Amino acid sequence: GAAELSNILPIRSPGLTPGEISTHTVPGTLLKRLAMGNAPPFFIIGSDDLSLRWLQSHRAALQRMGAVGMLVQAETEAEVRRVAGLAQGLPITLGSASDIAQALGIRRYPVLISANGVEQ
């Protein structure tokens, strides 16, 4: 509910900003875990316009692959609701992704992390 949401807002991920990325490979150990099917593909997005456009244009593919999302930047409940509305049922957790991003060498979002590597 709204009370729970206000406890975690704003969501911020220091070191991560919206922007273009070039596709790259994921460090070996994580790639192995993803390739073995232990982890579904996951995507990192914010509530910014670039992330929202990316989510809209990739939603069908994300749903087909069973991807799980993480909303890593949102200031208000309205922003969280906008992302949830665009996700149309895709599972999205809320929280900082600074640690994950650092481990993967990611500084920009939106991104999809899968057994194929990191891509936009």
Side-chain angles (χ1 to χ4, degrees):
E4 296 147 26
L5 212 47
S6 64
N7 292 341
I8 58 168
L9 287 169
I11 304 162
R12 299 203 176 112
S13 298
L16 272 174
T17 55
E20 303 285 317
I21 66 150
S22 55
T23 299
H24 69 274
T25 55
V26 175
T29 51
L30 182 69
L31 196 55
K32 276 193 199 115
R33 290 216 345 252
L34 287 166
M36 286 167 29
N38 293 349
F42 68 99
F43 57 96
I44 296 174
I45 57 171
S47 59
D48 57 283
D49 289 340
L50 177 64
S51 291
L52 296 175
R53 284 195 308 272
W54 183 89
L55 179 58
Q56 249 179 325
S57 63
H58 291 79
R59 181 175 50 230
L62 294 168
Q63 286 171 327
R64 275 196 304 276
M65 66 179 73
V68 177
M70 188 167 189
L71 179 61
V72 300
Q73 183 282 318
E75 297 294 316
T76 66
E77 195 178 322
E79 289 178 357
V80 173
R81 289 187 192 288
R82 205 162 92 206
V83 170
L86 282 175
Q88 293 184 354
L90 273 170
I92 297 184
T93 60
L94 310 178
S96 174
S98 294
D99 295 347
I100 296 168
Q102 198 170 15
L104 296 174
I106 299 169
R107 285 188 292 284
R108 303 258 184 271
Y109 57 83
V111 294
L112 171 66
I113 297 113
S114 71
N116 299 326
V118 177
E119 57 194 300
Q120 203 166 50

